[in-house]
Every structure is written in structure tokens, then in C-alpha cells.
Amino acid sequence: MTAKKKTKKKLIFSNYIRWFWMLFSGGLLVIVLLFLLASWGAFGEMPDHTILENPKTNLATEIISSDGETLGKFYFNDNRTPVDYKELPQHLVDALIATEDVRFHKHSGVDARGTLRAMVKMGRGGGASTISQQLAKQLFHGEGSKSTLGRIAQKIKEWIIAIRLERQYTKEEIIAQYFNIYDFGNNADGIRSAARIYFGKEPKELNLKESAMLVGMFKNSSLYNPRPHRNPEGTKNRRNVVLSQMGKYDYITETVKDSLQKTELDLRYTPESHREGLATYFRAYLQGFMKDWVNNKANRKPDGSKYSIYKDGLKIYTTIDSRMQQYAEDAVAQHMPRLQAEFFYQNTARRNPTAPFLELTYGAIDTLMRRSIKQSERWRKMKYDLKKADEEIKASFYKPTKMSVFSWRGEIDTIMTPMDSMRYYKSFLRTGMMSMEPQTGHVKAWVGGVSYKHFQYDMVKQGKRQIGSTFKPFVYAAAIDQLHLSPCDTLPDSPFCIEKNKYGNPEEWCPKNSGEKYGNIRTLKNALANSVNTVTARLMDKIGPQPVIDLAHSLGIEQDILPVPSIALGTPDLSVYEMVAAYSTFANKGVYTKPVMITSIEDKNGTILYQFAPETKDVLSKEVAYVTINLLEGVTQGGSGTRLRHTSSGDQPVYKEIITGYPYQFDNPIAGKTGTTQNQSDGWFMGMVPNLVTGVWVGAEDRAAHFETITYGQGASMALPIWALYMKSCYNDETLNVSKDDFDEPEDLSIVLDCGKHQEEKSERKNALDDDPEIDF
């Protein structure tokens, strides 16, 4: 080869080298420039230092029970409650690292080795996104662009943000944030919601295969949805891939991997929606309370803006005990289907052509249904949201429609007209129940109905119904307070009238006893125990209506009450909420305590925003309160509540179980009162032990829908069994410490409760008066 040729080759090679380094340097400069442009925001806004410290994520407001359980949440789209790294089980973290980023602890946000591998294999060997990059994508720029340049730009942004995140946070904090940010589907935003919704557990309670399933969903939660009608088999296969990765990197043994891969998902799907779960009616009340609270100008953020109960991650600490709430809902679910079965039996078309209504003509029923149409949610939406004409709305109520309707055996998918569905729902009996500690006012259980999804009207606080004989203790307490009566004092049980115009009575009032049965002389204790109307009327005649009304209002009754004698038998419409608070005053030695549902509210950082202050007032003396309690104990000792002491023998027909009761066998002191309104439309039971007062109401939406006879339509058959079943469960749970003790007797009690001793004193006074008429007693 000549020197000239050699020189030419060297020149060509030198040019190649020059061009290579120029291209290489230019490429590096372009990459550096791209990174600089991305960091300056040329490809879209980049998060600054402040935003990196506090990424904007919507956090659900959490409702927490007095025993530390989550009752539910308030949220719009994001049902997210963050957890700390220490609340994550180690196998959950291991599953994530083994599957998503095995070199997580060895890189600083971008895995160079993984990136080069992905570039060489053109992505066929798996992606190169680290957990930090995936977190960056979730937090700050969401879905990728469809164009190639756009994808490159977003990837660069992803790398930059990932590196910044690694500088800002520890590896553990990044892991926790990633678990907290991910949407697992079915309103399961973040690992806390996912663990609760798919397995009914807190994250720290997850076992290995449950953790593997949830980590598997990171690939695509829409595709790997474990619910039965979605993709359980695909989810199981994906879970097994996670277990294989854990085995590959020695997080678990081959034996454990193989055994777990053969198991089923064992899903325990527990949706967290506003209409499902525990304490739904209470949560609905709480939502209204919180809306008022955030709208109050006194409750503002430091910057002056309103809190959002759906996005700001507030924590509401309530007085509800999750165990007692569950027992209350279980008691309703156990008794009401039995009672409903009897109601349906009595209201077949053959037995009652106007079912479910009694004593209404067809014309009256039509009027009632037309009124119900205009009170319905369907009417409201079509009228005010869709702006439909009245005639079009009315016509829609007679068009067959696909719908799911309530039944005690589960929802029924059917086709019926909205009018027929309204009539169907009017056949169902409803209930309201509240349980409260009389000393603190803490409400421990709140059941506003049989199904919030289908019956959203709350019968604890919203609904007000005639209270019947449960009002009588107010009459007796007022009489004892004014006249210093004893439970052993007697009055005639005979027909009695309060004449016209007395106490503003518009006409003569002559109440009758149930079944028009009368006796001779009854003690006050016996008369209240057996709910004798004539004796209550005589007491009302002695003191007048106004003192009774004043006492009722002092006991927390909010409703206006007409000052007429007939209120003695319970004509006012009151709520379960009011009645429980009023009765609690007797158990709390005459001190009224306003019901408390919320103890405190905190922001997402734990700063206390609200703390309740108890509201109490002295209403009755300890003596009067205790004597009233003594009278009410007679109801369960020998009156309408004695079935609490009974047992049932073996299996019985439904109607027998309703009438004779379940095997309650209570042997502890119980003060209580049954209540039944005219035509058996409402059944009540108020029951008290020293540290728990509970009220129960049962009835239909319309008073014209009721049992035909007192056998089933009385409070002792309709409401008392719910109280008894609830209390049985409470007593069986010794951690609740529900009292079985006697009510505390005042030390300076001057009213005699021993009727034998009381009779002796009366005889002594009579003899003394006969001997010396001038003695003043």
C-alpha cells in the first residue's frame, strides 16, 4: 500500500472519529438540553420544591368510632386515606419490590441498567420504570402522550421528578406514597381502602397471598379486577406471577410459592359507599352536620378558605361504638323479617283487599298515593332537575321500568311501574333505634331504618311519630315532683272524664283503657306497669297539662305540644332521638345531658379543629328521678315488659316467636316502657339500665298501614324484641361493660318505695288524725 493511500485512509478514519465524537457530544448536549428544558418547564409545568413536599392528592374524610374503627368515609371520587410505611406488612413491600423494581434500593430514582436493557431489547424484556418513576407519573402528570415526541418528553419529566423525589424523601416514604396514591378500582383508592374493600382488613392485617393479589393489580387494576363478574381468574394468574417473582428473588421459598399459587383469592368484598356499610343513617346525619360546620365562618382554614369534607382528609371522631352499632343492626335484621312475614301474611289480597292499608276507602288510598307521588324523589328530579311538565311526570309513574327492589332475602331485579313500587314499599315496616350513655350523652348506636339504600328517611332524628304510652312517665314524674307521690299511692281504676273547658279542653275527655277493662284500686306502680289510661288521666287532672309540657321541654323535647289533657296518653309526635335523651335524664339522676355524636374533628395533620363541650342542666331532683325509675322497673317486673323475663321453648312458628318473645331471660334491673298508638300504627319500647338508655320505634310509612289487632301491633311485640336482642349481644360482649347493677338510690330518699311500709305509715297517719284532728300532716 502506498503512503498516499495510507494517508487517505487515516484521514477517512479521522473524519469518522471526528463525526462520531461530534454526534456523541451533540447527542449529549441535546440530552442535557432536553433535561434542562424539561426542568425549566418547556414540556409542561414541573412541580417545585414546595409541591414536592406536599403533593396534591384528594383525601377522604374518615369517620372513626369510639373504639377506633372506621365507620365510613366522605368522598367524591377519591376514597383515599393514607397510611405510614410502618403500617405496611413487610411481605407487601417485598411483593412490590420483587415485581416492580427489584433494584429499588440500589438506584436514585432512575435505574440505568434497566433503562439500557429496555432500550437494547426495545421494551421486549420488560419496562424500565422504577417505583419512583411510577410514583412521579401518578402524582404529577398522569397518562402518557400518544405522540412519540410527547412520550419522550414525558419520560424525561418522569426521570427528573423521580430523581427529585429520591432527594426529597426516604425510600420508605416513596414506597408508602406509591401504595397510597394508586387506584385499585371499586372506590379502593390507596392501599388502606383496597385492603378494607377487597378483604375487610387493615393493611397490616393482610396475609402474603392477599398482598400478592393487590400488588398484582398495579399492572392494570381495571383488567385485573378480582370481583366475580369481572376477571377473578386473570387476577389470580397475575397474583401467581407476583408470587413467582417473590420466589425468584428469595423473598419466599419455593414451597410457600407453590402452595399459595394453588389457593383461591378468598375475596371478602366489602364496598365502601355512602349507601352501604355500618351506620349508614348515622353517617347521613353526620354529613349534614359537617356541611353546616364547614359553612360556618368560624371554621375556616388558616388561609380563610373552606374545608372540604370530601377532599381535605379530615378525621371525625364519633361516640358511636362499632360493636354496639353492629349489635343494633343485627337485632333489627333478626326481628324485622319475622315481624314483616306476619304483616305480609295478614295483608294478602284475600285477607285485606286494600293491602297494605286498613280502614281506608279506595278513594282515600288514591289520594294518599297521589300525595306520595309529589313527595317522591322521582318527582323532585323530573320536576326541578329535568324541568318536565307535571303531566309527563305523572305518566312516567305508570310506565313499567326495570328496577331492583328491597326484600329481606336480598334485592330483587324486576319490572314494575314506579307507582306499584311505591305501594310495594308502603307494605314494609320501618324502624328507628338509638342507644345512649345517660351520664355522658354519648350516642353509642343509631339505626334509622331497615335499609338506607332503599329507605333513606331517618327514623331516629328526622321522623317523628305518636309516642303513645311512652309519654306517661312524664305525667307521673311531674305528679311526683309536684305532689310528692309514692309508687305505692293508689287511685281508682274506673271510668273517668275531664270536663269540657277545663285546662282549655275543647270538649269532655273520657279516655278508655285498652280493651275497656277496669279494676278497682291500683297503685301508681301497677297502673304505669299496665299502662292504665284512667289512672294517668286522673294524675293529669290533678296537675294540669302545662307542668307536664314544661317538664317535657326541660327533658329536651323540641316539639311544640298543645296544652290539652289528652297529651297524657301520648298524642304528640316525637322522635326517637328526643325520647332517648328525655328518658336518659331519669337514669342520670335528674340531669339532662344533650346527646353527643362527635367528640372531635381533626385535619389531615392531626390538628384539632373542633372539640365538643357537654351541655347539661338539672331538671329533676335525684329523688323524683329515682322514684320514676322505680315506677318504670315495674313495667318489666309485672307489666307489659315482663316478656323480657320469659323464655321460649324450642322452635316455634313465626307468630309465636313474635308474641311470646325470644329466650331473653334477663334477670338484672331494667326500667322500661312500652308504647302503642291508636289502631296499632306505632310500637315503641324505651329500655334503661344504669349506664345505657335505648329507644326503639317500629311502624309503617303511613299510619293507615298497620296490624289489625293489638296482638302484633303493640310495642311489646313490635319494638321490645329489638331492644332485647340488642341488649343480649351487648351483655355477651363483656368488653362493653354494660351495667347489670341496680340503679343508684339517693341517700336522702324520703319517698317510701316499700308498699308494705308505705301502708303502715298511712295507717299511722290516719289513726293519729282520728285521735287528734288538729295534727297537720
Side-chain angles (χ1 to χ4, degrees), residues 644-660:
L644 290 172
R645 314 295 184 182
H646 291 171
T647 63
S648 61
S649 55
D651 295 331
Q652 301 183 62
V654 170
Y655 74 92
K656 283 289 186 184
E657 290 183 337
I658 293 170
I659 296 171
T660 62

Side-chain angles (χ1 to χ4, degrees), residues 588-724:
N588 195 31
K589 303 176 182 180
V591 178
Y592 169 79
T593 302
K594 187 176 181 179
V596 178
M597 282 72 75
I598 302 169
T599 54
S600 63
I601 301 172
E602 294 180 358
D603 68 12
K604 64 181 180 181
N605 299 315
T607 303
I608 296 176
L609 306 176
Y610 165 86
Q611 204 156 21
F612 93 100
E615 296 181 37
T616 63
K617 61 180 175 181
D618 293 334
V619 176
L620 295 167
S621 68
K622 291 181 181 179
E623 181 175 59
V624 173
Y626 182 74
V627 172
T628 306
I629 287 287
N630 181 268
L631 285 168
L632 291 168
E633 285 184 283
V635 174
T636 68
Q637 292 166 348
S640 57
T642 52
R643 65 184 62 190
L644 290 172
R645 314 295 184 182
H646 291 171
T647 63
S648 61
S649 55
D651 295 331
Q652 301 183 62
V654 170
Y655 74 92
K656 283 289 186 184
E657 290 183 337
I658 293 170
I659 296 171
T660 62
Y662 300 75
Y664 305 133
Q665 292 182 285
F666 291 105
D667 55 9
N668 56 291
I670 298 171
K673 186 71 191 78
T674 58
T676 308
T677 63
Q678 189 174 14
N679 294 330
Q680 301 79 238
S681 293
D682 305 276
W684 289 79
F685 184 72
M686 306 296 301
M688 296 184 284
V689 296
N691 66 348
L692 194 65
V693 177
T694 305
V696 183
W697 165 86
V698 174
E701 178 184 354
D702 298 286
R703 289 189 170 100
H706 57 80
F707 282 107
E708 189 170 6
T709 67
I710 197 72
T711 304
Y712 301 96
Q714 60 178 301
S717 297
M718 295 170 72
L720 178 145
I722 294 176
W723 186 93

Side-chain angles (χ1 to χ4, degrees), residues 453-597:
K453 184 175 181 180
H454 296 280
F455 307 98
Q456 292 180 25
Y457 194 72
D458 176 30
M459 291 306 302
V460 168
K461 202 166 193 294
Q462 282 181 297
K464 294 177 183 285
R465 295 297 286 261
Q466 274 195 353
I467 56 173
S469 294
T470 55
F471 191 84
K472 289 176 180 176
F474 304 154
V475 179
Y476 279 72
I480 293 165
D481 189 35
Q482 289 202 4
L483 307 176
H484 206 66
L485 298 177
S486 161
C488 304
D489 282 321
T490 58
L491 286 173
D493 176 17
S494 57
F496 176 77
C497 294
I498 295 180
E499 62 267 22
K500 181 179 179 180
N501 295 326
K502 188 175 185 181
Y503 304 122
N505 207 31
E507 56 185 24
E508 186 179 56
W509 180 56
C510 304
K512 298 177 181 179
N513 288 339
S514 179
E516 298 193 41
K517 298 177 181 178
Y518 302 95
N520 294 316
I521 299 294
R522 288 183 184 266
T523 64
L524 296 188
K525 190 167 188 175
N526 178 276
L528 184 59
N530 292 282
S531 213
V532 178
N533 291 340
T534 56
V535 173
T536 308
R538 290 178 187 274
L539 288 175
M540 177 61 83
D541 188 46
K542 289 178 180 293
I543 59 173
Q546 196 57 52
V548 178
I549 294 170
D550 293 341
L551 174 60
H553 287 155
S554 295
L555 293 172
I557 302 301
E558 302 167 353
Q559 186 73 25
D560 289 335
I561 301 174
L562 290 174
V564 293
S566 60
I567 63 170
L569 305 188
T571 55
D573 288 359
L574 304 178
S575 67
V576 173
Y577 174 89
E578 292 172 290
M579 290 297 289
V580 171
Y583 269 67
S584 292
T585 307
F586 301 134
N588 195 31
K589 303 176 182 180
V591 178
Y592 169 79
T593 302
K594 187 176 181 179
V596 178
M597 282 72 75

Side-chain angles (χ1 to χ4, degrees), residues 14 20 30 87 141 157 160 234 239 285 514 527 532 542 556 605 648 650 688 703 754:
S14 176
F20 170 79
V30 168
E87 297 177 67
H141 62 272
K157 287 174 62 179
I160 295 171
R239 179 204 67 182
Y285 158 77
S514 179
V532 178
K542 289 178 180 293
N605 299 315
S648 61
M688 296 184 284
R703 289 189 170 100
D754 183 337

Side-chain angles (χ1 to χ4, degrees), residues 81-98 101 104-105 131 135 169-181 191-192 202-206 211 215 218 251:
T81 304
V83 297
D84 293 331
Y85 180 83
K86 62 185 178 182
E87 297 177 67
L88 304 174
Q90 187 59 46
H91 52 68
L92 180 67
V93 176
D94 293 342
L96 177 67
I97 292 174
D101 188 1
F104 176 68
H105 289 289
I131 291 172
L135 175 61
Y169 297 102
T170 65
K171 291 286 188 178
E172 289 76 15
E173 289 172 333
I174 288 171
I175 289 280
Q177 283 195 61
Y178 188 49
F179 273 115
N180 285 327
I181 198 66
I191 191 63
R192 172 101 189 278
E202 293 297 324
K204 61 185 176 182
E205 299 169 338
L206 292 168
S211 293
V215 167
F218 277 115
Y251 287 108

Side-chain angles (χ1 to χ4, degrees), residues 337-396:
R338 299 173 184 269
L339 190 67
Q340 189 68 55
E342 180 58 37
F343 189 77
F344 282 149
Y345 174 78
Q346 292 188 18
N347 281 280
T348 60
R350 181 176 63 83
R351 294 183 179 87
N352 178 18
T354 60
F357 309 109
L358 289 170
E359 301 159 358
L360 284 186
T361 64
Y362 286 106
I365 293 172
D366 289 341
T367 301
L368 184 151
M369 294 303 295
R370 284 197 300 270
R371 185 168 63 247
S372 296
I373 285 176
K374 292 195 174 182
Q375 294 172 344
S376 69
E377 183 69 8
R378 183 184 185 86
W379 177 278
R380 187 196 67 77
K381 285 184 177 179
M382 294 185 74
K383 176 79 172 176
Y384 300 105
D385 295 348
L386 303 178
K387 309 298 182 184
K388 300 290 185 181
D390 287 4
E391 290 307 313
E392 184 180 354
I393 301 173
K394 290 176 185 176
S396 75

